[in-house]
Amino acid sequence: MTDPDDAAAKPDDAPLSPPPAANDAARVTPMMEQYIEIKAANPDCLLFYRMGDFYEMFFGDAEIASRALNIVLTKRGKHHGADIPMCGVPVERADEYLHRLIAQGHRVAVCEQTEDPAEARKRGNKSVVRRGVVRLVTAGTLTEDTLLDASRNNYLLALVRGRASAGDDRFALAWIDISTGEFRVAECDRSSVGAEMARVEPGEIIVSDALYADAELAPLLRTFPAVMPLTRDVFDGATAERRLAAFFGVATTAAFGAFSRLELAAAAAAVTYIERTQLGKRPPLSPPARENAGATLAIDQATRGNLELIRTMSGERRGSLLAAIDRTLTSAGARLLAQRLAAPLTDPAEIAHRLDSVGAFVGDSAARADLRALLKAVPDLARALARIVVTRGGPRDLAAIRDGIFAAAEFAKRLAAMGDIPHELAQATQSLCRPDSALAAELARALGDELPAFRRDGGFVRAGYLPVLDEARALRDESRRVIAALQMQYAETTGIRSLKIKHNNVLGYFVDVSAQHGEKLMSAPLNGIFIHRQTTAGQVRFTTTELGELESKIASAADRALALEFEVFDRLATSVTAASAAIKEAAGALALLDVATALAALAVERDYVRPQVDNSLAFAISGGRHPVVEQALAGDGGPFVANDCDLSPPAEAAGQAATKTAGRIWLITGPNMAGKSTFLRQNALIAVLAQMGSFVPAKAAHIGVVDRLFSRVGAADDLARGHSTFMVEMVETAAILNQAGERALVILDEIGRGTATFDGLSIAWATIEHLHENNCCRALFATHFHEMTALATKLPRLHNATMRVKEWQGDVVFLHEVVAGAADRSYGIQVAKLAGLPPSVIERAKVVLAQIEAEDRTSPTRALIDDLPLFAAARQETKSASGAMPQPDAALAAVVEGLKALNPDEMSPRDALDALYALKAKLAAK
Ligand code: ADP
Ligand code: MG
């Protein structure tokens, strides 16, 4: 989205005009003085300064914006003798420009005229219209549909750290989507803060200056866009509870639940920042909901990336798991589905509630079809509501509330007709009934059929709703008819058939009669009505009180009609705001129904099965498929080969209380392109789907809840991305070996291939041992090091599996079938042949391979497995250092030094013998 030129326009590295200093104000025009003052109060924002139909920017802001938006840089007046750079964007198109600035990491302060220019003129000719910043537009605090992706949440996240003496710092996160009102907090430790932040995927992060400058956190924060450092007071723990309570207008936050000090600090920081950016307007936030540590499946950033959950490695939605499973019909449903996918649950009971709902709609196709038909017309209630509450709403937002409330009632009725429904759906039904239908009825009465986008356009109140408004509109629209009626009436009263009402710019409306009738109107009794204004050659002109009134009525009718519409709008908006809690609840229920019916539709369409999720350590998938690859293949014909996977603890171990029960590790070997990576990922994705509460692409699935999911790909697979190195691979592998517990699921795909063969093999080897002996987690490990399959003889819970291939007339055919056993060879040359390498190269490679294999027979794999002290590394961690490992030997070093000092050529036989004795003595002294 950002091209390199645009990136160069970021505030930090752009060469700017010298910032104007406020004390220079005396020498500048009053308007510039005002500008400089407002700009000084908002130094870290671009200032959109309203002048007529434009937002203008000056000085450095103008230079940045002209480059970022590719708009013309002009100048206006002088400052200290130098031209003032200026550029502007039309108010009508401001949203579009805001969108581009925000996307490039800028923040914008929108400064409006806060009084009528006429008022300013009353203070004197030179006085400047009052202006003030009405809003800060930042990436994490958006409400406009034009600035937001309808199908994704947009979170502002506040991060705080509590330092602990032992070095195990705690972190609290608070995240808010002001466009929907969601507000959550959580606390975690250093090892999971990255995963927690990754799952929220914030649009903007606020941290204290201290945290921003912290070297240890810098690499983590750098992986997120728009990180904003703020002064310490925003994160102050002492005032946190008070600020939070004040925001919600309650005496204490106790009713919201129990929060740690750290959580309160994060929550208060988030609302304080929102108050700042919204200039005091309070969006309809839900009270903060606490997420317990461990309530969701921890998935770090790297794992999310390479499982392509929400978007692909190249950043697209197409090809991601989300895109493959999304059958939602509303924006709110799409957001909820993305949320659930980003944060699968870990409590089997909660997961079961979700699965029950999906199951209910899988089983009742009539209800599913009816509800999905209704969903198509459901508006984005939550976002419309948020805009109305922060007074940024328009008539269409009111209509959305109207339609949403009516729809909610329809849904409740249809759900009731389903009869016995599961817990989650029963709760949703109650929520659907919460909004007052009288409010919707009032909105229906008030709003017209065709609605303008903005309140300022007018014309949205239905005719007949408000008599005074109808009258004002009648005057505005039908002034001719009203005047004509009055003319008829006057002609009748006076008996002058030729009497006309006319209009000109000098007199406005006037009664016009020919000179011969003039006298009649100027004498009693008609002179009581008609007031003489002008006599011309052949005409006499009059006005009347009634006509004067009508005149000013017509002149102000448009204004008045608009003002009345504003009143109606504000009254309705107030009613909506008052009902916001109920409306939000109904909106949540509609989103939930969208997700439940969408997942049911997916399950039926693609033949998914309900997974059994419990507290065991099982991981038994039969007939599993990759949800994304399967759909991609369905496009161009090929069938997807289903595969089983069983990482459950071995049965005999489970039976014996004494033996440690732990899941299995599968070591998968097989040639390139055989389907190893696909198999690994499909099992991770099935776990994610099951725990988010979806049916899964398999014949049957039994999953003991996974608490952490890790997925890493060897560096060579990643090189296409350009920034992945062997070092990154090792850092990530280290994280897994340090963090994975027995509930973790670990996917390692060709770890160790980014370095020389023997290094790589050794690292892979040691990693498997550590996973088996120390982490004791369920794991899938794909490798091209066939030597490693020998490990199965030593590690009881290691299982060898391989991808079946068929060799046919020197070619290799991939069957994509996972079977027990080990691959004996790589078929690398056959794959190369498939890829179209020249025949001469293939032939030569075969000769070289034969040669190498012949030499390799002198050191067969068998020797390797026997010689390697298998568990040395694992044991070393438990035993004290005095045990198996030899100590560095001082005596030996002395002997070596002594030997180096000898020069045999200059020694007599006797000297040589003495030296030999001396060396032996040194060794004996040991
Ligand atoms: P590997 O990791 O062994 O090199 P991949 O997992 O990358 O192999 O798979 C290579 C290709 O084979 C995939 O892009 C996919 O098109 C196809 N494939 C993999 N698994 C299957 C399967 N189970 N059924 C059908 N096609 C598959
Ligand atoms: Mg692979």
Side-chain angles (χ1 to χ4, degrees):
M1 189 179 328
T2 316
D3 66 49
D5 285 338
D6 286 346
K10 285 210 172 174
D12 27 336
D13 54 11
L16 305 180
S17 291
N23 58 7
D24 294 333
R27 274 167 279 165
V28 300
T29 64
M31 196 209 77
M32 260 306 137
E33 187 181 336
Q34 181 191 51
Y35 174 85
I36 289 169
E37 187 184 322
I38 296 175
K39 175 67 193 175
N42 297 279
D44 47 14
C45 295
L46 299 176
L47 185 64
F48 267 33
Y49 183 83
R50 177 75 181 260
M51 295 178 74
D53 290 336
F54 280 80
Y55 289 116
E56 303 288 4
M57 282 158 282
F58 301 106
F59 300 105
D61 283 6
E63 292 171 1
I64 293 168
S66 74
R67 261 174 295 166
L69 300 172
N70 199 15
I71 52 177
V72 182
L73 188 66
T74 58
K75 43 193 184 252
R76 179 192 173 102
K78 299 217 181 247
H79 185 71
H80 291 284
D83 291 332
I84 301 174
M86 176 180 93
C87 68
V89 301
V91 170
E92 292 287 331
R93 290 175 59 201
D95 274 3
E96 173 193 330
Y97 288 107
L98 277 173
H99 185 84
R100 286 163 59 192
L101 288 172
I102 300 303
Q104 291 175 46
H106 297 286
R107 298 150 45 82
V108 178
V110 180
C111 172
E112 295 286 356
Q113 300 180 176
T114 53
E115 68 174 352
D116 197 311
E119 288 297 311
R121 277 195 293 278
K122 282 185 199 158
R123 288 197 305 272
N125 258 349
K126 285 248 164 92
S127 54
V128 183
V129 182
R130 283 203 185 96
R131 289 183 175 85
V133 170
V134 296
R135 178 180 176 209
L136 303 183
V137 185
T138 77
T141 58
L142 304 172
T143 52
E144 289 85 347
D145 273 345
T146 44
L147 301 182
L148 289 162
D149 178 347
S151 62
R152 302 301 317 279
N153 276 104
N154 183 45
Y155 291 111
L156 166 76
L157 182 140
L159 177 71
V160 298
R161 175 175 60 187
R163 302 234 73 160
S165 50
D168 35 46
D169 295 340
R170 303 286 299 166
F171 289 84
L173 304 85
W175 61 104
I176 293 175
D177 183 341
I178 77 165
S179 69
T180 62
E182 284 153 81
F183 187 179
R184 304 223 167 76
V185 291
E187 194 178 317
C188 64
D189 58 21
R190 175 71 185 89
S191 70
S192 25
V193 68
E196 288 285 303
M197 290 169 73
R199 92 170 141 103
V200 175
E201 230 195 308
E204 183 178 5
I205 296 176
I206 55 170
V207 294
S208 66
D209 290 324
L211 218 54
Y212 189 72
D214 190 290
E216 192 206 343
L217 281 180
L220 175 66
L221 291 180
R222 256 206 311 276
T223 62
F224 294 94
V227 181
M228 182 72 196
L230 297 170
T231 51
R232 211 173 54 194
D233 53 315
V234 177
F235 300 88
D236 178 32
T239 58
E241 147 107 70
R242 190 168 49 69
R243 281 181 291 145
L244 199 55
F247 184 94
F248 285 100
V250 294
T252 149
T253 59
F256 301 158
F259 298 102
S260 71
R261 275 182 61 92
L262 219 50
E263 286 168 338
L264 282 175
V271 298
T272 299
Y273 186 67
I274 280 174
E275 283 190 316
R276 275 192 192 174
T277 56
Q278 307 303 304
L279 278 294
K281 290 186 195 103
R282 290 182 183 156
L285 300 187
S286 307
R290 184 169 195 272
E291 291 201 351
N292 292 324
T296 57
L297 170 56
I299 314 172
D300 59 30
Q301 186 80 282
T303 302
R304 283 170 198 277
N306 82 62
L307 289 179
E308 308 192 309
L309 296 182
I310 305 284
R311 61 181 65 84
T312 61
M313 297 268 211
S314 51
E316 286 161 62
R317 182 184 150 94
R318 234 191 92 178
S320 68
L321 177 62
L322 178 60
I325 63 164
D326 188 357
R327 301 289 183 276
T328 60
L329 297 168
T330 67
S331 309
R335 291 195 298 268
L336 182 62
L337 185 76
Q339 263 179 40
R340 288 188 171 186
L341 179 56
L345 301 175
T346 52
D347 177 7
E350 267 188 76
I351 294 167
H353 283 316
R354 290 185 182 178
L355 291 171
D356 287 345
S357 305
V358 178
F361 290 122
V362 167
D364 187 340
S365 53
R368 186 175 76 237
D370 288 353
L371 290 181
R372 285 175 68 72
L374 287 173
L375 275 166
K376 287 185 183 137
V378 169
D380 198 339
L381 263 182
R383 285 198 166 156
L385 176 68
R387 281 191 294 272
I388 291 170
V389 174
V390 295
T391 66
R392 235 170 270 147
R396 290 176 192 170
D397 292 319
L398 289 178
I401 303 292
R402 170 197 66 197
D403 298 345
I405 297 177
F406 283 138
E410 288 293 306
F411 274 82
K413 243 187 273 165
R414 186 61 187 84
L415 282 170
M418 280 177 77
D420 202 16
I421 49 176
H423 174 78
E424 203 186 45
L425 298 183
Q427 273 190 332
T429 310
Q430 284 181 1
S431 300
L432 290 170
C433 300
R434 290 254 287 127
D436 186 358
S437 57
L439 173 60
E442 176 72 8
L443 287 167
R445 269 196 303 281
L447 296 172
D449 296 329
E450 303 250 320
L451 298 175
F454 302 102
R455 195 183 78 137
R456 62 169 186 257
D457 296 336
F460 50 85
V461 175
R462 186 183 290 284
Y465 177 69
L466 191 66
V468 278
L469 174 60
D470 291 343
E471 193 182 305
R473 279 178 175 162
L475 278 174
R476 184 195 61 194
D477 301 338
E478 302 173 353
S479 55
R480 275 230 190 96
R481 198 184 56 73
V482 175
I483 294 285
L486 193 64
Q487 178 178 303
M488 267 172 65
Q489 186 197 324
Y490 284 162
E492 227 166 84
T493 323
T494 60
I496 306 169
R497 291 177 147 245
S498 61
L499 181 148
K500 292 271 181 298
I501 294 180
K502 291 185 174 170
H503 184 270
N504 72 29
N505 285 337
V506 180
L507 294 182
Y509 285 98
F510 55 87
V511 175
D512 186 80
V513 295
S514 57
Q516 63 191 87
H517 295 300
E519 197 54 35
K520 188 174 180 189
L521 299 194
M522 280 188 277
S523 28
L526 289 177
N527 65 356
I529 304 173
F530 296 94
I531 306 152
H532 178 258
R533 294 292 309 272
Q534 195 181 42
T535 303
T536 66
Q539 307 295 113
V540 189
R541 292 163 176 178
F542 300 84
T543 186
T544 68
T545 323
E546 211 178 352
L547 192 57
E549 276 169 11
L550 188 61
E551 155 120 52
S552 64
K553 262 193 189 168
I554 289 170
S556 63
D559 286 353
R560 182 163 159 67
L562 201 56
L564 284 167
E565 289 209 65
F566 285 2
E567 270 174 37
V568 171
F569 186 95
D570 293 345
R571 187 164 49 72
L572 295 172
T574 306
S575 311
V576 167
T577 302
S580 60
I583 295 170
K584 231 164 42 187
E585 230 186 86
L590 289 169
L592 184 141
L593 289 169
D594 191 4
V595 169
T597 54
L599 287 174
L602 171 77
V604 172
E605 172 199 317
R606 304 233 54 99
D607 195 18
Y608 284 13
V609 71
R610 179 179 175 140
Q612 177 194 348
V613 183
D614 57 26
N615 274 322
S616 70
L617 287 176
F619 193 92
I621 311 297
S622 86
R625 285 123 50 203
H626 191 298
V628 182
V629 175
E630 173 182 45
Q631 288 186 35
L633 286 182
D636 37 34
F640 189 91
V641 180
N643 279 304
D644 299 346
C645 176
D646 193 356
L647 307 177
S648 312
E652 60 276 15
Q656 296 161 14
T659 325
K660 178 151 77 172
T661 48
R664 281 204 188 92
I665 300 174
W666 273 26
L667 183 72
I668 295 117
T669 47
N672 262 326
M673 289 301 289
K676 300 184 296 298
S677 299
T678 306
F679 178 68
L680 259 54
R681 282 176 179 72
Q682 87 187 23
N683 287 297
L685 297 181
I686 285 172
V688 167
L689 285 171
Q691 292 187 215
M692 75 174 269
S694 168
F695 282 23
V696 299
K699 278 214 175 58
H702 177 196
I703 296 175
V705 160
V706 176
D707 67 350
R708 277 175 183 237
L709 179 61
F710 295 98
S711 171
R712 292 297 183 278
V713 182
D717 256 3
D718 251 7
L719 281 180
R721 282 202 292 165
H723 57 84
S724 195
T725 62
F726 180 62
M727 182 63 191
V728 171
E729 175 190 331
M730 286 300 106
V731 168
E732 293 180 353
T733 307
I736 298 176
L737 298 181
N738 292 326
Q739 293 174 22
E742 65 163 16
R743 287 216 160 270
L745 177 63
V746 174
I747 305 293
L748 291 174
D749 194 353
E750 310 239 20
I751 285 301
R753 82 152 152 199
T755 182
T757 308
F758 286 133
D759 284 12
L761 172 57
S762 327
I763 291 167
W765 188 283
T767 299
I768 284 270
E769 285 176 8
H770 195 280
L771 286 173
H772 189 276
E773 292 303 294
N774 297 60
N775 301 101
C776 301
C777 56
R778 292 161 287 183
L780 286 162
F781 196 113
T783 185
H784 62 291
F785 297 124
H786 303 129
E787 297 85 345
M788 288 178 62
T789 53
L791 269 167
T793 59
K794 304 264 175 172
L795 303 177
R797 297 191 320 281
L798 185 73
H799 170 84
N800 282 332
T802 185
M803 308 300 307
R804 254 186 79 201
V805 292
K806 234 175 29 196
E807 233 183 318
W808 191 73
Q809 297 190 344
D811 284 340
V812 59
V813 180
F814 303 116
L815 301 175
H816 304 303
E817 206 181 310
V818 180
V819 292
D824 50 348
R825 36 192 297 219
S826 294
Y827 299 95
I829 293 175
Q830 284 86 341
V831 174
K833 186 175 167 196
L834 280 182
L837 246 62
S840 59
V841 175
I842 300 289
E843 283 317 308
R844 177 66 184 147
K846 279 182 183 163
V847 173
V848 175
L849 179 66
Q851 179 77 32
I852 293 175
E853 279 180 347
E855 282 168 17
D856 198 41
R857 245 162 249 137
T858 57
S859 56
T861 312
R862 199 63 233 166
L864 183 63
I865 185 91
D866 288 340
D867 295 349
L868 268 180
L870 253 190
F871 304 120
R875 273 200 215 104
Q876 211 180 312
E877 284 173 15
T878 45
K879 279 192 188 166
S880 72
S882 65
M885 291 295 288
Q887 292 297 293
D889 197 333
L892 201 61
V895 172
V896 171
E897 284 311 303
L899 267 172
K900 276 187 190 158
L902 298 181
N903 187 349
D905 286 340
E906 290 171 15
M907 292 169 99
S908 68
R910 177 64 203 237
D911 289 344
L913 199 59
D914 284 346
L916 209 50
Y917 279 118
L919 287 172
K920 272 211 72 119
K922 276 185 184 158
L923 273 181
K926 181 183 157 187

